[in-house]
Amino acid sequence: MIDKIQTLTEEIKNLSATLPEQVEELRIKYLSKKGIISALFNDFRALSPEEKRQLGQPLNILKNFATEKINSLRENLSASASDDSAALDLSRTETPLPLGSRHPLSIVKNEICDIFARMGFSIAEGPEIEDDWHVFSSLNFAADHPARDMQDTFFIARNPADVLLRTHTSSVQTRVMEKAQPPVRIICPGRVYRNEAISARAHCFFHQVEGLYIDRNVSFADLKQVLLTFAREMFGPQTQIRLRPSYFPFTEPSAEMDISCNICGGKGCAFCKGTGWVEILGCGMVDPNVLDACGIDSKEYTGYAFGMGIERITNLKYRVKDLRMFSENDVRFLSEFEAAKR
Ligand code: PHE
């Protein structure tokens, strides 16, 4: 019997199979109840105790070896079967698809939002199709303000309640103030629309990030510090800011903020028209009329607001000369920015 065990071990070692049915045949041949190894176990029962002691172990080893061999034949076959089906994956593209890249305006919007998020601002969003109240009336626009004119604003329906495309994201600030009581600390990114002829320097839609902070004792100095921090985070620690008096219906006092031109470092170049400064945003202390219109007590609370165009910030960072590039979706243009950021 020991010879038989040895011959069988050799034989099993050299088994091979190319089809699952062949593996099954081998299993039946060696391991089934009527198989060769079971027959050996039957013979074993008739042996003397002495022989049993000698042959028990080799016989069990043979059985385990055969079981492992047949299992491994089966596994190899199923592994190569899945390789075959991968090669036949008809949904695969013939050539690898190039990965897209983020739009430059999204890259810059995210950067602006991140900077303000680190200063405790949360993001608020609102509809692009708005009504007169949220875009103009609640924000202290006079009845005859030119922005209410068809020349400047896209109206969808006029009267009784005007429906229009928002001209700034200050409308989101109104929506938040109507619902929340101070402290309010939000930034509102989004697309806005103005009725302008399309050229290299103007478009009928663009993108803004506006900010609003309302609490007790908020001062103009708070506004200035937040904007200085923003300018330095965005354009580098050497950046200087300057505030010039301005006018917006919804802020009093109002200002426009310039930064030292980051292209010539403030010496004067074509971009800053030789002045060394470029305007990047409007800002001011929220007019008490606006707070009252939105249900916030202007005797108790004060606030500041600011707003900037994302295209302008992107032009300054990446020197894009023609605004129209942002909406043409030329992948050669679009793919330059993510790489530039890395
Ligand atoms: N809403 C103004 C605009 O669209 C920007 C602004 C926001 C100015 C907040 C002052 C305060 O131009």
Side-chain angles (χ1 to χ4, degrees):
M1 183 177 275
I2 192 75
D3 292 345
K4 239 186 190 167
I5 292 176
Q6 266 162 11
T7 349
L8 274 173
T9 308
E10 270 314 297
E11 196 179 307
I12 290 169
K13 206 189 276 173
N14 297 324
L15 289 180
S16 67
T18 48
L19 292 171
E21 301 85 80
Q22 292 171 342
V23 181
E24 183 58 12
E25 271 168 27
L26 293 174
R27 188 193 66 79
I28 292 169
K29 178 172 173 194
Y30 291 100
L31 292 168
S32 68
K33 275 195 183 132
K34 292 189 178 146
I36 299 174
I37 294 174
S38 304
L40 279 183
F41 272 95
N42 282 341
D43 297 347
F44 178 81
R45 260 180 236 126
L47 297 177
S48 70
E50 177 57 23
E51 284 169 320
K52 277 185 178 163
R53 213 174 300 123
Q54 274 179 12
L55 291 170
Q57 204 185 16
L59 196 53
N60 275 317
I61 290 176
L62 173 71
K63 188 183 172 193
N64 291 341
F65 179 66
T67 313
E68 276 167 24
K69 177 72 189 183
I70 288 187
N71 284 345
S72 89
L73 284 177
R74 192 180 293 127
E75 275 163 27
N76 289 345
L77 272 187
S78 65
S80 59
S82 60
D83 280 357
D84 284 355
S85 62
L88 275 175
D89 183 355
L90 297 179
S91 65
R92 281 192 180 180
T93 50
E94 195 183 346
T95 42
L97 284 176
L99 266 188
S101 53
R102 226 175 268 280
H103 194 283
L105 294 177
S106 299
I107 296 175
V108 173
K109 180 194 78 180
N110 291 345
E111 218 174 322
I112 297 171
C113 290
D114 285 351
I115 294 170
F116 284 107
R118 290 201 290 276
M119 291 193 268
F121 287 79
S122 49
I123 291 176
E125 286 177 320
E128 291 179 18
I129 298 175
E130 267 291 6
D131 51 32
D132 172 274
W133 168 256
H134 290 97
V135 176
F136 299 130
S137 296
S138 63
L139 292 164
N140 207 31
F141 278 76
D144 57 355
H145 193 284
R148 294 176 180 256
D149 199 280
M150 300 268 279
Q151 305 295 309
D152 291 290
T153 300
F154 290 112
F155 287 90
I156 295 169
R158 300 217 72 164
N159 299 319
D162 287 345
V163 181
L164 48 97
L165 295 179
R166 66 182 179 192
T167 58
H168 54 181
T169 58
S170 304
S171 52
V172 182
Q173 308 185 353
T174 299
R175 287 188 177 274
V176 170
M177 284 189 280
E178 282 173 339
K179 293 216 180 75
Q181 280 299 306
V184 171
R185 193 175 356 205
I186 51 163
I187 47 168
C188 314
R191 180 175 289 180
V192 300
Y193 302 82
R194 291 184 193 175
N195 193 356
E196 306 238 10
I198 298 171
S199 71
R201 303 176 55 96
H203 212 295
C204 60
F205 65 81
F206 63 100
H207 301 80
Q208 287 190 321
V209 176
E210 297 213 342
L212 174 73
Y213 178 40
I214 304 169
D215 205 346
R216 292 190 175 84
N217 303 319
V218 176
S219 73
F220 201 95
D222 298 327
L223 170 63
K224 191 176 169 191
Q225 186 57 43
V226 161
L227 294 180
L228 176 66
T229 307
F230 165 71
R232 295 200 164 157
E233 294 268 319
M234 194 75 201
F235 296 103
Q238 75 294 341
T239 310
Q240 304 289 320
I241 63 166
R242 130 183 133 170
L243 290 160
R244 285 177 290 100
S246 185
Y247 173 80
F248 299 101
F250 34 88
T251 47
E252 181 60 33
S254 304
E256 270 164 337
M257 186 176 96
D258 299 339
I259 59 164
S260 50
C261 178
N262 77 323
I263 291 172
C264 62
K267 287 190 214 74
C269 66
F271 194 87
C272 59
K273 300 198 187 78
T275 63
W277 296 95
V278 279
E279 185 207 317
I280 63 160
L281 56 82
C283 61
M285 300 305 292
V286 181
D287 193 302
N289 288 341
V290 173
L291 295 177
D292 291 332
C294 297
I296 291 174
D297 185 353
S298 62
K299 291 191 188 65
E300 203 177 339
Y301 296 105
T302 50
Y304 62 67
F306 55 86
M308 68 190 90
I310 302 177
E311 278 80 351
R312 181 138 186 88
I313 306 282
T314 311
N315 286 352
L316 261 174
K317 277 210 94 153
Y318 296 107
R319 294 165 215 201
V320 179
K321 291 204 183 75
D322 190 330
L323 265 184
R324 289 169 291 195
M325 299 293 283
F326 289 127
S327 45
E328 274 168 7
N329 286 340
D330 182 331
V331 286
R332 291 166 302 180
F333 169 75
L334 296 177
S335 62
E336 281 178 26
F337 296 85
E338 219 147 30
K341 203 173 159 241
R342 267 188 233 120

